């Protein structure tokens, strides 16, 4: 079949792989290829065992792969034939030099820019998909224009707002698609081409355009606002624990205010994931670079609050269990940074596990999808893993719910209680269990932002 457009994405990670799969499914007239330097990852995308767990993704890939969706390591070949190049390579936090621990590490992105400059043929649209610091497009344009390839490039910013665990739905029915461009005629033509691509399945009123710097900043700002909501409700949860207020009741009352809204008000042991901490710190770093120290500090507290909340969770365990965890057995229910994903990047579970080990506790980790990643994250540490939560809890002193997997709500807690050491403790870091029921069974129950239920 003759395809009308050749679309590629450099970087076949969570964002690149999933986004290309949905574009391919929605645009059968386009040939869509995701390329990556990681040959193992590409082999998995081409297999029956995808490199990521994402509900609904298997189906989408099965329908399009081999027809108009391809995964390949031939990056230069893909660039040569591309009309539109999405760039979705990793932009982790810098772990060295200037801005270490805060600024975005742009080395993979710059390598990609140069590679596009070397291999592209004809007029090409380059779309920033990963989250970049504001004004990254400027650097991309400079690199491409000084490589003297004779080609013309238009750089657009089209940040991805998908959340893991709901990525396919977020892509199929996005709240909005944002496309940032310059305002010259060629840039506007490129922007309209990308608008037309999304119009294949997204209503036109949900596709918004802006200047390119606004688009870059909007992604950082959206993640900062979301992270701030979690830190805000977590700050309230601390206060609730001191005053016998209940954070769920407070969140419901606050969230019913139309101006505030009810989402992202679940108190937890802290947020995780590859974006929130990284993007807020990137924003903090950028503010500092512009000399905006008060603004930087304001956002920095979102991350500091999150660190405090993670520490507090373990401090509560320590205090409740008579100030010693040495030799005690703790079952961690969940290791993924949230439910419905196997991703463990920046998961609060890793901090909890390390802090418990520092107290000489013995820990067993269970998770339906994240055990392989957990093994890798905690390599060399004395930790036991099992996919079976009953086995994890058996013989333990405490169960700590770290990930909000819904399966943990429906376990047989009578059976779990019978199999545990006494006194038995539950620390619900996600407030997903029925606390009064657990208390009736005999557990000592410690939720987040609520009165603890203790038998002694
Ligand atoms: C986030 C943004 O939501 C998404 O738009 C962006 O593109 C990437 O970053 P993601 O990291 O996949 O997505 O997960 P998200 O659902 O935002 O959750 C982040 C963390 O916050 C998780 O650890 C989650 O458990 C925690 N969280 C979320 C809470 O603790 N309480 C809440 O009410 C909501
Ligand atoms: P995200 O969650 O933002 O999608 P990932 O880390 O899952 O982030 O994906 C980024 C992908 O980019 C990885 O698969 C990585 O191998 C790939 N990548 C990094 N640098 C390059 C590069 N120079 N060329 C092609 N792919 C790259």
């Amino acid at each position: 079949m003759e395809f009308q457009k050749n679309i590629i994405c450099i970087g076949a990670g969570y964002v690149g792989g999933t986004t290309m799969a949905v574009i391919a499914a929605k645009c059968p007239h386009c040939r869509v290829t995701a390329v990556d330097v990681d040959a193992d990852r590409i082999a998995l995308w081409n297999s029956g065992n995808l490199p990521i767990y994402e509900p609904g993704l298997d189906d989408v890939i099965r329908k399009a792969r081999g027809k108009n969706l391809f995964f390949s390591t031939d990056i230069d070949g893909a660039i040569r034939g591309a009309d539109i190049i999405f760039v979705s390579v990793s932009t982790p936090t810098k772990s060295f030099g200037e801005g270490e621990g805060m600024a975005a590490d742009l080395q993979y992105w710059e390598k990609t820019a140069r590679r596009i400059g070397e291999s592209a043929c004809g007029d090409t649209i380059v779309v920033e998909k990963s989250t970049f610091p504001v004004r990254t497009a400027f650097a991309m344009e400079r690199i491409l224009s000084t490589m003297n390839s004779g080609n013309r490039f238009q750089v657009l910013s089209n940040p991805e707002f998908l959340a893991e665990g709901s990525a396919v739905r977020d892509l199929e029915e996005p709240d909005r698609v944002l496309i940032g461009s310059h305002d010259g005629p060629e840039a506007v033509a490129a922007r309209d081409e990308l608008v037309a691509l999304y119009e294949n399945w997204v209503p036109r009123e949900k596709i918004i355009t802006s200047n390119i710097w606004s688009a870059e900043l909007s992604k950082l700002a959206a993640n900062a606002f979301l992270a701030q909501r979690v830190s805000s409700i977590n700050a309230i949860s601390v206060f609730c624990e001191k005053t016998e207020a209940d954070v769920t009741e407070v969140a419901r009352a606050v969230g019913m205010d139309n101006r505030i809204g009810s989402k992202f008000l679940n108190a937890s042991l802290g947020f995780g994931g590859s974006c929130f901490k990284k993007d807020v710190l990137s924003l903090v770093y950028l503010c500092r670079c512009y000399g905006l120290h008060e603004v930087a500090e304001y956002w920095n507290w979102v991350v500091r609050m999150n660190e405090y909340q993670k520490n507090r969770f373990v401090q509560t365990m320590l205090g409740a269990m008579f100030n010693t965890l040495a030799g005690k057995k703790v079952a961690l229910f969940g290791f993924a940074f949230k439910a419905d994903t196997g991703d463990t990047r920046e998961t609060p579970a890793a901090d909890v596990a390390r802090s418990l080990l520092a107290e000489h506790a013995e820990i067993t980790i269970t998770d339906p999808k994240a055990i392989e990643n957990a093994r890798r994250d905690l390599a060399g540490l004395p930790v036991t893993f099992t996919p079976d939560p009953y086995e994890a809890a058996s013989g333990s002193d405490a169960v700590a719910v770290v990930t909000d997997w819904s399966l943990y709500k429906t376990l047989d807690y009578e059976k779990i209680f019978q199999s545990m050491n006494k006194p038995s403790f539950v620390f619900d870091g996600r407030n997903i269990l029925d606390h009064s029921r657990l208390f009736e069974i005999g557990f000592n129950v410690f939720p987040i932002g609520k009165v603890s239920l203790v038998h002694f």
Side-chain angles (χ1 to χ4, degrees):
M1 171 178 169
E2 191 64 17
F3 292 107
Q4 290 170 22
K5 283 275 171 222
N6 210 342
I7 293 167
I8 74 159
C9 181
I10 304 179
Y14 276 87
V15 173
T18 322
T19 310
M20 289 307 108
V22 171
I23 291 182
K26 299 293 181 185
C27 308
H29 56 285
C30 296
R31 183 186 159 94
V32 181
T33 309
V35 293
D36 204 291
V37 281
D38 184 339
D40 293 338
R41 198 163 236 201
I42 289 297
L44 288 172
W45 280 118
N46 281 320
S47 76
N49 176 29
L50 300 182
I52 60 170
Y53 169 68
E54 192 57 54
L57 184 60
D58 280 23
D59 257 10
V60 178
I61 297 232
R62 206 173 311 116
K63 284 180 194 145
R65 195 173 55 196
K67 295 193 182 96
N68 69 329
L69 174 65
F70 304 90
F71 294 94
S72 163
T73 51
D74 181 10
I75 300 177
D76 297 313
I79 293 173
R80 265 194 296 280
D83 300 303
I84 302 179
I85 301 177
F86 287 90
V87 180
S88 187
V89 298
S90 8
T91 48
T93 300
K94 248 182 119 178
S95 57
F96 55 88
E98 178 64 33
E100 178 183 349
M102 298 205 100
D105 184 348
L106 295 174
Q107 60 174 309
Y108 310 104
W109 166 86
E110 180 164 340
K111 279 192 194 112
T112 307
R114 290 178 187 282
R115 208 153 176 178
I116 293 172
E118 279 157 15
S119 299
C121 295
D123 293 354
T124 311
I125 299 174
V126 179
V127 186
E128 293 180 342
K129 199 62 167 152
S130 330
T131 309
F132 293 110
V134 186
R135 299 193 77 82
T136 303
F138 178 76
M140 171 74 87
E141 285 159 354
R142 284 294 166 277
I143 291 172
L144 292 174
S145 66
T146 51
M147 289 186 75
N148 257 339
S149 58
N151 300 315
R152 280 183 310 177
F153 297 96
Q154 294 303 323
V155 179
L156 304 173
S157 168
N158 170 221
E160 186 47 68
F161 295 104
L162 66 79
E164 288 176 30
S166 55
V168 173
R169 196 188 57 224
D170 294 343
L171 284 160
E172 288 181 339
E173 294 164 37
D175 286 350
R176 76 311 205 181
V177 168
L178 172 60
I179 301 172
S181 70
H182 293 302
D183 52 11
E186 288 178 336
V188 169
R191 181 196 76 190
D192 290 347
E193 198 169 315
L194 195 55
V195 169
L197 181 74
Y198 280 108
E199 271 187 301
N200 282 295
W201 78 98
V202 180
R204 181 63 184 87
E205 65 276 13
K206 289 197 170 183
I207 306 174
I208 55 173
T209 57
S210 73
N211 87 35
I212 197 160
W213 320 125
S214 305
E216 288 178 333
L217 180 56
S218 298
K219 177 62 199 270
L220 285 182
N223 276 346
F225 270 64
L226 290 169
Q228 183 202 41
R229 274 178 83 92
V230 179
S231 276
S232 297
I233 198 67
N234 283 344
I236 295 295
S237 78
V238 189
F239 199 41
C240 287
E241 286 170 33
K242 294 283 179 213
T243 55
E244 297 188 14
D246 179 315
V247 76
T248 309
E249 292 177 352
V250 175
R252 190 184 55 202
V254 170
M256 281 178 76
D257 186 322
N258 245 332
R259 295 166 301 173
I260 297 174
S262 62
K263 292 183 182 152
F264 263 67
L265 285 180
N266 295 322
S268 65
L269 76 167
F271 62 71
S274 67
C275 294
F276 279 4
K277 184 174 173 192
K278 171 176 81 95
D279 291 351
V280 177
L281 290 178
S282 173
L283 184 62
V284 170
Y285 180 75
L286 288 168
C287 290
R288 284 190 190 155
C289 289
Y290 283 96
L292 306 173
H293 298 292
E294 288 78 3
V295 185
E297 268 322 282
Y298 176 78
W299 289 110
N300 198 28
W301 267 101
V302 171
V303 174
R304 287 187 66 178
M305 183 62 221
N306 198 50
E307 299 303 321
Y308 170 70
Q309 188 76 345
K310 287 188 283 187
N311 286 336
R312 223 169 59 79
F313 187 65
V314 177
Q315 291 308 316
T316 301
M317 292 175 84
L318 184 61
M321 295 171 78
F322 319 114
N323 292 313
T324 175
L325 294 170
K328 290 186 180 157
K329 294 195 172 73
V330 180
L332 292 192
F333 276 19
F335 198 81
F337 81 96
K338 65 185 226 183
D340 295 324
T341 179
D343 195 353
T344 61
R345 288 178 289 179
E346 294 294 341
T347 179
D351 300 270
V352 171
R354 288 204 173 83
S355 304
L356 291 173
L357 290 173
E359 291 292 339
H360 294 187
E362 294 176 21
I363 60 177
T364 301
I365 292 172
T366 182
D367 190 288
K369 294 288 175 195
I371 286 189
E372 268 175 52
N373 282 336
R375 268 187 219 284
R376 194 201 54 220
D377 296 346
L378 302 177
L381 296 176
V383 181
T384 312
F385 299 94
T386 171
D388 179 359
Y390 293 103
E391 192 184 314
S394 177
S396 68
D397 298 276
V399 163
V401 178
V402 179
T403 310
D404 46 341
W405 285 106
S406 61
L407 82 95
Y408 298 145
K409 295 183 207 168
T410 53
L411 297 175
D412 179 348
Y413 281 94
E414 295 266 11
K415 178 173 156 187
I416 288 177
F417 183 71
Q418 299 308 331
S419 74
M420 287 174 65
N421 294 336
K422 302 295 174 301
S424 310
F425 295 84
V426 168
F427 298 92
D428 186 357
R430 297 291 186 166
N431 285 346
I432 55 169
L433 304 185
D434 181 342
H435 302 136
S436 357
R437 170 87 190 108
L438 291 175
F439 181 65
E440 277 166 25
I441 293 173
F443 286 102
N444 298 296
V445 189
F446 291 80
I448 301 276
K450 294 170 195 277
V451 176
S452 43
L453 304 171
V454 182
H455 289 284
F456 40 80

Short mmCIF file of all heavy atoms in Angstrom, two decimals, residues 30-56:
data_model
loop_
_atom_site.label_atom_id
_atom_site.label_comp_id
_atom_site.label_asym_id
_atom_site.label_seq_id
_atom_site.Cartn_x
_atom_site.Cartn_y
_atom_site.Cartn_z
N CYS A 30 -1.09 6.48 7.12
CA CYS A 30 0.29 6.89 7.45
C CYS A 30 1.12 5.65 7.79
O CYS A 30 0.63 4.72 8.43
CB CYS A 30 0.31 7.82 8.66
SG CYS A 30 -0.53 9.38 8.36
N ARG A 31 2.38 5.70 7.37
CA ARG A 31 3.32 4.66 7.79
C ARG A 31 4.01 5.21 9.04
O ARG A 31 4.59 6.30 9.01
CB ARG A 31 4.34 4.41 6.67
CG ARG A 31 5.31 3.30 6.99
CD ARG A 31 6.40 3.20 5.91
NE ARG A 31 7.55 2.52 6.46
CZ ARG A 31 7.75 1.22 6.36
NH1 ARG A 31 6.92 0.47 5.67
NH2 ARG A 31 8.80 0.66 6.92
N VAL A 32 3.98 4.46 10.12
CA VAL A 32 4.47 4.95 11.41
C VAL A 32 5.57 4.02 11.92
O VAL A 32 5.37 2.81 12.00
CB VAL A 32 3.30 5.00 12.44
CG1 VAL A 32 3.79 5.54 13.77
CG2 VAL A 32 2.15 5.86 11.91
N THR A 33 6.72 4.61 12.25
CA THR A 33 7.84 3.78 12.71
C THR A 33 8.42 4.38 13.99
O THR A 33 8.72 5.57 14.03
CB THR A 33 8.97 3.74 11.65
OG1 THR A 33 8.39 3.39 10.39
CG2 THR A 33 10.05 2.72 12.00
N ALA A 34 8.59 3.54 15.00
CA ALA A 34 9.28 3.98 16.22
C ALA A 34 10.68 3.37 16.20
O ALA A 34 10.82 2.15 16.01
CB ALA A 34 8.51 3.54 17.45
N VAL A 35 11.70 4.20 16.38
CA VAL A 35 13.08 3.70 16.35
C VAL A 35 13.76 3.99 17.68
O VAL A 35 13.39 4.93 18.39
CB VAL A 35 13.91 4.34 15.20
CG1 VAL A 35 13.39 3.88 13.85
CG2 VAL A 35 13.92 5.86 15.28
N ASP A 36 14.77 3.17 17.98
CA ASP A 36 15.44 3.34 19.28
C ASP A 36 16.85 2.78 19.17
O ASP A 36 17.11 1.86 18.38
CB ASP A 36 14.64 2.57 20.35
CG ASP A 36 14.88 3.13 21.75
OD1 ASP A 36 16.01 2.97 22.28
OD2 ASP A 36 13.95 3.71 22.31
N VAL A 37 17.76 3.33 19.97
CA VAL A 37 19.13 2.79 20.03
C VAL A 37 19.16 1.46 20.79
O VAL A 37 20.12 0.70 20.65
CB VAL A 37 20.11 3.75 20.75
CG1 VAL A 37 20.56 4.87 19.85
CG2 VAL A 37 19.54 4.28 22.05
N ASP A 38 18.14 1.20 21.56
CA ASP A 38 18.13 0.01 22.42
C ASP A 38 17.52 -1.17 21.65
O ASP A 38 16.29 -1.29 21.52
CB ASP A 38 17.31 0.35 23.68
CG ASP A 38 17.30 -0.77 24.70
OD1 ASP A 38 17.57 -1.92 24.31
OD2 ASP A 38 17.00 -0.49 25.88
N ALA A 39 18.42 -2.05 21.13
CA ALA A 39 17.96 -3.15 20.27
C ALA A 39 17.07 -4.12 21.04
O ALA A 39 16.12 -4.68 20.49
CB ALA A 39 19.17 -3.88 19.68
N ASP A 40 17.37 -4.32 22.33
CA ASP A 40 16.53 -5.25 23.13
C ASP A 40 15.11 -4.72 23.23
O ASP A 40 14.14 -5.47 23.15
CB ASP A 40 17.10 -5.41 24.55
CG ASP A 40 18.45 -6.11 24.52
OD1 ASP A 40 18.72 -6.81 23.51
OD2 ASP A 40 19.23 -5.95 25.49
N ARG A 41 15.01 -3.42 23.45
CA ARG A 41 13.68 -2.81 23.58
C ARG A 41 12.89 -2.96 22.27
O ARG A 41 11.71 -3.30 22.29
CB ARG A 41 13.84 -1.33 23.93
CG ARG A 41 12.61 -0.72 24.50
CD ARG A 41 12.88 0.58 25.20
NE ARG A 41 12.41 0.51 26.58
CZ ARG A 41 12.13 1.57 27.33
NH1 ARG A 41 12.32 2.76 26.87
NH2 ARG A 41 11.69 1.43 28.55
N ILE A 42 13.58 -2.70 21.16
CA ILE A 42 12.89 -2.83 19.86
C ILE A 42 12.45 -4.28 19.64
O ILE A 42 11.33 -4.54 19.17
CB ILE A 42 13.82 -2.34 18.71
CG1 ILE A 42 13.99 -0.81 18.79
CG2 ILE A 42 13.31 -2.76 17.34
CD1 ILE A 42 12.70 0.00 18.60
N ALA A 43 13.33 -5.24 20.02
CA ALA A 43 12.95 -6.66 19.86
C ALA A 43 11.68 -6.95 20.67
O ALA A 43 10.79 -7.66 20.20
CB ALA A 43 14.10 -7.55 20.31
N LEU A 44 11.58 -6.38 21.85
CA LEU A 44 10.38 -6.62 22.67
C LEU A 44 9.14 -5.98 22.04
O LEU A 44 8.06 -6.58 22.02
CB LEU A 44 10.58 -6.08 24.10
CG LEU A 44 11.55 -6.89 24.96
CD1 LEU A 44 11.83 -6.16 26.27
CD2 LEU A 44 11.00 -8.29 25.25
N TRP A 45 9.31 -4.77 21.48
CA TRP A 45 8.16 -4.14 20.80
C TRP A 45 7.68 -5.02 19.65
O TRP A 45 6.50 -5.00 19.28
CB TRP A 45 8.52 -2.75 20.27
CG TRP A 45 8.51 -1.63 21.26
CD1 TRP A 45 9.58 -0.86 21.63
CD2 TRP A 45 7.39 -1.10 22.00
NE1 TRP A 45 9.19 0.09 22.56
CE2 TRP A 45 7.85 -0.03 22.80
CE3 TRP A 45 6.03 -1.44 22.06
CZ2 TRP A 45 7.01 0.71 23.65
CZ3 TRP A 45 5.19 -0.70 22.91
CH2 TRP A 45 5.68 0.35 23.68
N ASN A 46 8.62 -5.76 19.04
CA ASN A 46 8.25 -6.62 17.90
C ASN A 46 7.80 -8.00 18.35
O ASN A 46 7.51 -8.85 17.51
CB ASN A 46 9.45 -6.74 16.94
CG ASN A 46 9.56 -5.50 16.06
OD1 ASN A 46 8.54 -4.98 15.60
ND2 ASN A 46 10.78 -5.03 15.83
N SER A 47 7.76 -8.24 19.66
CA SER A 47 7.42 -9.58 20.16
C SER A 47 6.02 -9.58 20.78
O SER A 47 5.32 -8.57 20.78
CB SER A 47 8.44 -10.00 21.22
OG SER A 47 8.16 -9.31 22.43
N GLY A 48 5.66 -10.73 21.36
CA GLY A 48 4.37 -10.82 22.05
C GLY A 48 4.47 -10.33 23.48
O GLY A 48 3.49 -10.32 24.22
N ASN A 49 5.69 -9.93 23.89
CA ASN A 49 5.93 -9.54 25.27
C ASN A 49 6.44 -8.09 25.28
O ASN A 49 7.64 -7.84 25.29
CB ASN A 49 6.98 -10.52 25.84
CG ASN A 49 7.40 -10.18 27.23
OD1 ASN A 49 6.64 -9.59 27.99
ND2 ASN A 49 8.65 -10.52 27.56
N LEU A 50 5.52 -7.13 25.23
CA LEU A 50 5.90 -5.72 25.05
C LEU A 50 6.80 -5.25 26.19
O LEU A 50 6.72 -5.78 27.31
CB LEU A 50 4.65 -4.84 24.99
CG LEU A 50 3.66 -5.14 23.86
CD1 LEU A 50 2.49 -4.15 23.89
CD2 LEU A 50 4.35 -5.11 22.50
N PRO A 51 7.67 -4.26 25.95
CA PRO A 51 8.60 -3.83 27.00
C PRO A 51 7.93 -3.09 28.15
O PRO A 51 8.55 -2.86 29.17
CB PRO A 51 9.57 -2.89 26.26
CG PRO A 51 8.84 -2.44 25.06
CD PRO A 51 7.90 -3.54 24.68
N ILE A 52 6.67 -2.65 27.97
CA ILE A 52 5.97 -1.96 29.06
C ILE A 52 4.60 -2.58 29.24
O ILE A 52 4.03 -3.12 28.29
CB ILE A 52 5.81 -0.45 28.80
CG1 ILE A 52 5.00 -0.20 27.52
CG2 ILE A 52 7.15 0.25 28.71
CD1 ILE A 52 4.62 1.27 27.33
N TYR A 53 4.07 -2.49 30.48
CA TYR A 53 2.70 -2.91 30.71
C TYR A 53 1.82 -1.67 30.68
O TYR A 53 2.05 -0.73 31.44
CB TYR A 53 2.56 -3.62 32.06
CG TYR A 53 1.11 -3.83 32.42
CD1 TYR A 53 0.33 -4.72 31.68
CD2 TYR A 53 0.50 -3.11 33.43
CE1 TYR A 53 -1.02 -4.88 31.96
CE2 TYR A 53 -0.85 -3.27 33.72
CZ TYR A 53 -1.60 -4.16 32.97
OH TYR A 53 -2.93 -4.31 33.24
N GLU A 54 0.87 -1.67 29.79
CA GLU A 54 -0.05 -0.53 29.69
C GLU A 54 -1.40 -1.09 29.26
O GLU A 54 -1.49 -1.70 28.18
CB GLU A 54 0.50 0.44 28.64
CG GLU A 54 -0.15 1.80 28.60
CD GLU A 54 -0.10 2.57 29.92
OE1 GLU A 54 0.99 2.76 30.49
OE2 GLU A 54 -1.18 2.98 30.38
N PRO A 55 -2.44 -0.95 30.09
CA PRO A 55 -3.73 -1.53 29.74
C PRO A 55 -4.20 -1.12 28.34
O PRO A 55 -4.17 0.07 28.01
CB PRO A 55 -4.67 -0.98 30.83
CG PRO A 55 -3.78 -0.70 31.99
CD PRO A 55 -2.47 -0.26 31.40
N GLY A 56 -4.58 -2.11 27.53
CA GLY A 56 -5.13 -1.84 26.19
C GLY A 56 -4.09 -1.72 25.10
O GLY A 56 -4.42 -1.73 23.91
#
